[in-house]
Amino acid sequence: MQLYPSLMLSAIVKHYLIIKHDHDGYADYRLFSDGNPGLVFHFKDPFLQVNACESGSKQPHSFLYGQMTHFNDIKSVGKLDMLIVVLHPHGLHALTNLSAYELNNTITALRTVFGQEGSDMEEQVLSSKSPSEAIKAIEKLLICRVNRFQKQDGLMHGSLDLIYQANGMIAVADLIQKLPVTERQLERKFKEQVGIAPKKFIDVIKFQHFLKSLQKSSSDVNLSQVVYACGYYDQAHLNNCFKRQAGVTPMQYRHHDHLLAINLMQVL
């Protein structure tokens, strides 16, 4: 279920995502980038972060996460009850005043970044009696931090708007042509405020557009039609992108019945 932020936070918060699952046991999940950082609150059992040795460390009950440059495997150890604050790509930078690239591929407890404010927010959110009460507590802190740190950057907003309007089917050269910016300046701004290079971000948005188009298409629609409509050269091109971004094939994703979110799927 998605809920939307107050007007004061709409430039920072994309939406709130509530994920619940009553499966009471171990399950493996694959998580991959949607181009957005965020905050997570676990009301029940946090996920385990799985590493190459198949062991894992438990996630904090509340944390923020940066951009992902590769897919990750996580494991549930009980019932899921999560509230995710999905931020716009520049959202972490606006809330923390930290360089976004420093937070890539990391999860960091809220209290580590926000101090006592983070501890207070975790306590208020996790003890709330409803999603609306939890979101109210979250927004109270986020509005304070936005007012403290946010600086309007028309160039960054212009770049993101062009990328989203094109559904990721745009080249960096096109951005440079349409905006008063050099490639070096654009690279620096994206690294500082989004965390990844503009080309990498464009690829993620294009891939997300494909996934949304795939979900909307009926099962009798030929996959090739969606492939070409979303700017991929051919099936092989898409397969390579899919393996790199999600670690599965397009057909495995299309016929999957265990999606918790568009970029969070159970691995069977």
Side-chain angles (χ1 to χ4, degrees):
M1 180 171 66
Q2 285 187 8
L3 299 171
Y4 293 93
S6 64
L7 185 61
M8 291 183 67
L9 283 173
S10 59
I12 299 298
V13 177
K14 194 168 188 178
H15 57 255
Y16 300 98
L17 182 62
I18 297 170
I19 294 178
K20 292 188 177 184
H21 197 297
D22 288 331
H23 176 77
D24 194 8
Y26 286 87
D28 296 315
Y29 292 91
R30 170 72 46 81
L31 177 66
F32 49 93
S33 178
D34 62 358
N36 305 303
L39 286 70
V40 172
F41 297 88
H42 284 291
F43 293 93
K44 292 185 178 176
D45 302 302
F47 282 115
L48 290 179
Q49 294 287 135
V50 180
N51 59 32
C53 300
E54 294 298 326
S55 59
S57 58
K58 186 174 287 190
Q59 293 179 345
H61 274 279
S62 69
F63 61 88
L64 57 81
Y65 62 92
Q67 292 282 354
M68 292 184 294
T69 61
H70 52 76
F71 61 81
N72 287 293
D73 289 327
I74 51 181
K75 184 186 293 287
S76 68
V77 294
K79 293 180 179 179
L80 297 180
D81 190 354
M82 306 165 62
L83 172 58
I84 305 173
V85 185
V86 181
L87 300 174
H88 286 292
H90 62 288
L92 271 192
H93 176 70
L95 292 173
T96 65
N97 207 33
L98 297 172
S99 296
Y101 71 88
E102 296 178 1
L103 301 169
N104 286 355
N105 302 311
T106 65
I107 62 170
T108 309
L110 288 190
R111 65 178 67 91
T112 301
V113 178
F114 295 156
Q116 188 59 45
E117 289 177 315
S119 297
D120 292 343
M121 180 163 66
E122 178 181 297
E123 182 179 348
Q124 292 172 28
V125 171
L126 296 183
S127 63
S128 62
K129 295 179 175 59
S130 67
S132 60
E133 184 179 327
I135 289 171
K136 184 178 179 180
I138 292 168
E139 293 208 335
K140 183 178 179 180
L141 171 64
L142 296 191
I143 288 171
C144 290
R145 296 194 70 87
V146 167
N147 291 338
R148 196 181 312 166
F149 295 125
Q150 186 183 16
K151 303 178 183 69
Q152 292 294 332
D153 188 329
L155 186 59
M156 177 54 65
H157 285 287
S159 301
L160 295 174
D161 284 347
L162 288 170
I163 293 168
Y164 282 122
Q165 288 167 13
N167 292 317
M169 290 179 278
I170 190 170
V172 173
D174 296 325
L175 297 179
I176 295 168
Q177 187 177 33
K178 294 180 179 183
L179 297 168
V181 65
T182 66
E183 184 171 359
R184 186 174 180 180
Q185 289 170 333
L186 192 65
E187 290 271 351
R188 185 169 64 247
K189 280 185 174 290
F190 263 79
K191 183 178 180 181
E192 178 77 9
Q193 297 185 40
V194 176
I196 55 178
K199 176 63 169 67
K200 177 82 172 176
F201 181 76
I202 287 170
D203 287 345
V204 171
I205 299 309
K206 181 179 178 180
F207 184 64
Q208 287 295 308
H209 174 62
F210 173 80
L211 296 183
K212 292 171 186 174
S213 299
L214 191 64
Q215 287 189 342
K216 292 176 183 176
S217 66
S218 60
S219 58
D220 59 343
V221 171
N222 191 295
L223 183 61
S224 297
Q225 294 177 251
V226 187
V227 170
Y228 296 130
C230 292
Y232 293 97
Y233 305 130
D234 52 30
Q235 186 72 49
H237 182 205
L238 174 70
N239 289 346
N240 289 335
C241 292
F242 231 102
K243 272 293 187 181
R244 184 172 64 252
Q245 298 254 17
V248 296
T249 68
M251 295 307 293
Q252 286 174 320
Y253 183 89
R254 189 178 199 183
H255 297 299
H256 207 292
D257 296 324
H258 300 278
L259 293 176
L260 293 185
I262 195 167
N263 63 325
L264 179 59
M265 59 186 291
Q266 189 173 346
V267 180
L268 302 176

